[in-house]
Amino acid sequence: MTDQTEWAPSAAELRIHGDAAKAVQWRIRAKDTVKRALASGTPVTPTPPYQVVAVLGQSNAHGAGRLVDAAAAPVIDPRVHQWPGCGRRRGRILLAEDPLLHGIPGAGVGFGTTFGRLLAEDTGSAVLLVPAARGDTSFHPKNGFSWDPDERLVRVNLFDRAVTQIAGALRAAGPESELVAVLWHQGESDVPLTAPEVYRDRLDTLIRRLRDRFGTVPFLLGQMVPEEITTGHDRYPGIDAVHRDTPSRHEMCAFVEGPAGMHNPGEFIHYDAAGAQVLGERMFRAYATVRLDPAG
């Protein structure tokens, strides 16, 4: 393990990329409350047994893709459902449609529904997505959130919340259902706040703890937007390198290249709707490979 005292973000980095002002955090929490209250979702008749798929990470996992071309709208598959993390129908299995209902509803299209559709098409079995991502979150504590399984001082430990939601989904899905994959897309918020070696250690801990709880299922890491890596903060390549190397540290794991030139207009940090779907397709192909050859 890396001595985490060896590196720390500077005061300038924390001022720019760390916690927002308390007043801003309170406004965000108030808006989140409204979003959760308004979230609804489409009821479905559950069709167990399910292949359960967890969708974890920050904004690209949460769903941020803008639908630039209406023809690129994601296909809704009636066999793909979700175990919502919020909304008036939380505690019921709902149709999986973008934006998915994470701890708050997503803001756009993500890769989870595409992965779920392809999995359902491939196996002929129903799929239950577990949307448990949160935008602008990191292993480094930020605005009261952290993905670090060992971080006990934040208001919301996102790892704990995800474990609780996955366990709830498995109970609702029925005794013959099983967790078959974890889709992970995160790292942008940690780039200026966390040394790559520390990020690696915390990511490794998250993977091990998930597998201790739910078994060694395929863990798929989606690449951050390529243009953001090459033009953004100068520490992006370090976190990208950790992602790329993860399959060498863990079995049943794959790094999935992201599509270039498929980001939201005017910014590089988020895939657009079409790009998110391409990433979902690539994640499914990687999943199929890992499933057939666990050793990689």
Side-chain angles (χ1 to χ4, degrees), residues 34-64:
V34 173
K35 291 176 183 177
R36 285 192 290 266
L38 294 176
S40 180
T42 304
V44 294
T45 300
T47 55
Y50 283 102
Q51 302 173 95
V52 179
V53 177
V55 184
L56 312 182
Q58 59 178 110
S59 53
N60 278 296
H62 193 240

Side-chain angles (χ1 to χ4, degrees), residues 9 15 24 31 47 49-50 54 60-61 63 65 72-73 76 90 95 126 150 186 209 256 262 269-270 275:
R15 187 167 55 252
V24 174
K31 290 179 180 178
T47 55
Y50 283 102
N60 278 296
I76 297 174
R90 188 179 182 189
L95 182 67
D150 292 324
Q186 189 277 335
R209 299 275 179 86
V256 182
M262 302 187 77
I269 201 166
H270 298 123

Side-chain angles (χ1 to χ4, degrees), residues 57-273:
Q58 59 178 110
S59 53
N60 278 296
H62 193 240
R66 298 183 208 163
L67 193 59
V68 179
D69 179 3
V75 176
I76 297 174
D77 190 316
R79 296 168 296 183
V80 183
H81 302 160
Q82 64 173 314
W83 181 248
C86 71
R88 289 174 287 170
R89 295 189 174 99
R90 188 179 182 189
R92 294 178 58 185
I93 291 175
L94 305 175
L95 182 67
E97 50 193 338
D98 291 293
L100 291 171
L101 300 180
H102 298 260
I104 58 172
V109 176
F111 49 77
T113 51
T114 297
F115 182 96
R117 174 177 57 81
L118 293 173
L119 180 59
E121 290 176 356
D122 181 62
T123 62
S125 299
V127 174
L128 184 64
L129 301 180
V130 185
R134 169 88 191 194
D136 194 23
T137 54
S138 45
F139 286 104
H140 188 284
K142 183 173 182 180
N143 296 328
F145 297 90
S146 173
W147 279 104
D148 183 355
D150 292 324
E151 176 55 65
R152 298 291 106 195
L153 299 179
V154 289
R155 180 170 57 86
V156 179
N157 184 290
L158 293 165
F159 172 82
D160 289 348
R161 176 180 280 182
V163 166
T164 298
Q165 193 173 346
I166 294 168
L170 288 167
R171 286 192 297 272
E176 295 182 17
S177 301
E178 60 179 340
L179 182 69
V180 300
V182 175
L183 312 184
W184 175 260
H185 196 289
Q186 189 277 335
E188 297 91 342
S189 290
D190 271 304
V191 163
L193 300 174
T194 307
E197 296 81 5
V198 176
Y199 182 92
R200 178 200 63 212
D201 291 348
R202 292 175 179 170
L203 177 62
D204 287 350
T205 298
L206 179 143
I207 294 171
R208 286 196 300 269
R209 299 275 179 86
L210 282 174
R211 290 177 165 183
D212 287 345
R213 180 68 173 78
F214 300 109
T216 304
V217 301
F219 190 96
L220 310 172
L221 302 96
Q223 186 187 29
M224 299 175 290
V225 176
E227 288 82 359
E228 178 73 5
I229 294 170
T230 57
T231 65
H233 195 286
D234 60 9
R235 284 200 290 273
Y236 261 103
I239 300 297
D240 181 60
V242 171
H243 290 159
R244 290 176 178 275
D245 184 59
T246 302
S248 73
R249 305 190 307 275
H250 299 275
E251 63 176 327
M252 296 280 283
C253 185
F255 171 77
V256 182
E257 296 272 358
M262 302 187 77
H263 49 79
N264 283 339
E267 49 103 341
F268 290 155
I269 201 166
H270 298 123
Y271 289 106
D272 62 18

